[in-house]
């Protein structure tokens, strides 16, 4: 839905608003990134910033640049990259990691190899954190991280981060699974051997599973309801017996609306399973 013009908004501002609406409509058509969830101001600001840059390169107005997006794949990819989840860190949302360690893992058969998935993994911190948790629990496991951004996946595979990225990571995990070199944090090789990454556009396909743990956090922010809800259902369908999908707390109502079954892990954490049949 297009944003209605504000009272007193001038022609230039209305033209910019129209340009952003056109860009978001094309993103929804191509990738499932949605206009209906693009109301937050920061989304529109990022899209407009990219359009302004494209317009400057082409010597046209932002509106003309937006009108040319169906034939300008490079500009579209630039916008999608700007809308990626940019803020991620190790051990984000500690209550979820604590719930997995204390409640989820003890309920899974001890001889079961655990398959984990970080869907929308960005630069890999979440996937590596899951690997640390599973390794510390003495479990056999593999973790897959997927993201539609090639640049993010390349960074995840490199596994080199700023020291600040691990501020929430328990010191014992830092000591066991990371090395500090030249002021940068390097994930150790033994963990990198069991945590892998692939480029994957979740709107078009989800990894085949039998997953016991799936993280699907802060991705729905960028996906309109038809596409995003379908992705959530397809991911939940790839859970193995006893498997759980974890989201951001703010996304829980939407996952319930998509038909996923909420599972109370503990007093603070709710996860999800495939829709009840």
């Amino acid at each position: 839905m297009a944003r209605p013009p504000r009272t007193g908004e001038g022609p230039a501002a209305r033209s910019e608003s129209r340009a952003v609406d056109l860009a978001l409509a094309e993103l929804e058509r191509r990738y499932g990134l949605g206009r209906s969830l693009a109301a937050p101001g920061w989304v529109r600001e990022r899209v407009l910033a990219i359009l302004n840059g494209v317009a400057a390169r082409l010597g046209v107005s932002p509106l003309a640049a937006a009108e040319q997006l169906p034939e300008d794949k490079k500009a579209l990819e630039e916008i999608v990259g700007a809308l990626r989840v940019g803020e991620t860190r190790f051990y984000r949302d500690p209550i979820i990691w604590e719930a997995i360690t204390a409640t989820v893992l003890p309920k899974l058969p001890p001889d079961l190899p655990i398959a984990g998935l970080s869907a929308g993994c960005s630069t890999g911190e979440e996937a590596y954190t899951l690997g640390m948790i599973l390794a510390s629990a003495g479990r056999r496991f593999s973790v897959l991280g997927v993201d539609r951004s090639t640049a993010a996946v390349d960074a995840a595979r490199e596994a080199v981060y700023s020291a600040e990225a691990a501020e929430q990571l328990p010191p014992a995990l830092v000591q066991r699974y990371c090395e500090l070199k030249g002021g940068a944090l390097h994930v150790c090789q033994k963990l990198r051997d069991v945590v892998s990454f692939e480029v994957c556009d979740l709107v078009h396909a989800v990894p085949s599973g039998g997953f016991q743990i799936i993280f699907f956090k802060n991705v729905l922010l960028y996906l309109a309801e038809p596409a995003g809800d379908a992705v959530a259902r397809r991911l939940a369908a790839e859970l193995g017996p006893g498997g759980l999908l974890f989201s951001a707390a703010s996304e829980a109502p939407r996952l319930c609306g998509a038909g996923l079954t909420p599972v109370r892990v503990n007093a603070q954490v709710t996860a999800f399973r495939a829709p009840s049949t």
Side-chain angles (χ1 to χ4, degrees):
M1 180 181 295
R3 180 182 67 81
R6 296 189 182 98
T7 302
E9 198 172 66
R14 287 197 294 271
S15 178
E16 289 180 346
S17 180
R18 174 62 177 157
V20 172
D21 291 336
L22 287 176
L24 291 171
E26 183 63 18
L27 290 177
E28 184 172 27
R29 187 181 74 81
R30 289 281 190 98
Y31 305 115
L33 296 171
R35 289 171 292 173
S36 62
L37 292 179
W42 69 266
V43 172
R44 300 187 67 87
E45 288 170 4
R46 289 193 189 182
V47 172
L48 181 58
I50 299 299
L51 287 175
N52 282 335
V54 173
R57 290 198 300 268
L58 298 177
V60 299
S61 69
L63 181 57
E67 291 169 342
Q68 295 176 34
L69 283 176
E71 288 76 43
D72 193 342
K73 184 177 180 181
K74 180 180 178 181
L76 277 171
E77 289 292 337
E78 195 174 352
I79 293 173
V80 171
L83 294 183
R84 272 198 319 105
V85 177
E87 196 276 330
T88 184
R89 58 187 179 274
F90 292 95
Y91 214 74
R92 186 178 185 181
D93 297 329
I95 60 172
I96 294 180
W97 300 112
E98 292 162 5
I100 290 173
T101 299
T103 305
V104 176
L105 295 182
K107 293 181 179 179
L108 295 173
D111 58 345
L112 175 71
I114 294 175
L117 173 66
S118 175
C121 66
S122 188
T123 48
E125 290 91 331
E126 181 178 83
Y128 285 123
T129 300
L130 179 56
M132 293 176 194
I133 295 296
L134 296 174
S136 294
R139 304 301 296 252
R140 289 186 297 138
F141 71 92
S142 62
V143 174
L144 173 64
V146 298
D147 198 281
R148 76 169 313 277
S149 167
T150 300
V153 168
D154 287 345
R157 289 171 176 162
E158 186 177 3
V160 179
Y161 303 92
S162 69
E164 291 76 17
E167 286 179 347
Q168 286 189 294
L169 198 58
L173 296 182
V174 176
Q175 294 170 9
R176 189 170 180 181
Y177 300 109
C178 305
E179 298 177 87
L180 286 172
K181 300 178 183 177
L185 187 82
H186 295 244
V187 176
C188 68
Q189 188 62 49
K190 65 181 179 181
L191 197 64
R192 293 172 64 185
D193 289 341
V194 285
V195 180
S196 60
F197 298 91
E198 296 178 2
V199 176
C200 175
D201 187 339
L202 295 170
V203 172
H204 296 123
V206 301
S208 298
F211 296 105
Q212 281 71 49
I213 297 172
I214 294 177
F215 277 86
F216 183 54
K217 295 174 63 181
N218 300 311
V219 178
L220 286 174
L221 175 63
Y222 305 99
L223 299 178
E225 289 187 8
D229 294 3
V231 169
R233 287 190 291 267
R234 289 199 298 269
L235 284 171
E238 297 299 333
L239 289 165
L244 293 171
L245 181 148
F246 292 86
S247 70
S250 62
E251 296 169 315
R254 185 166 168 196
L255 291 177
C256 289
L260 273 64
T261 301
V263 177
R264 197 72 167 170
V265 178
N266 61 23
Q268 296 175 296
V269 175
T270 297
F272 291 88
R273 291 191 176 128
S276 301
T277 56

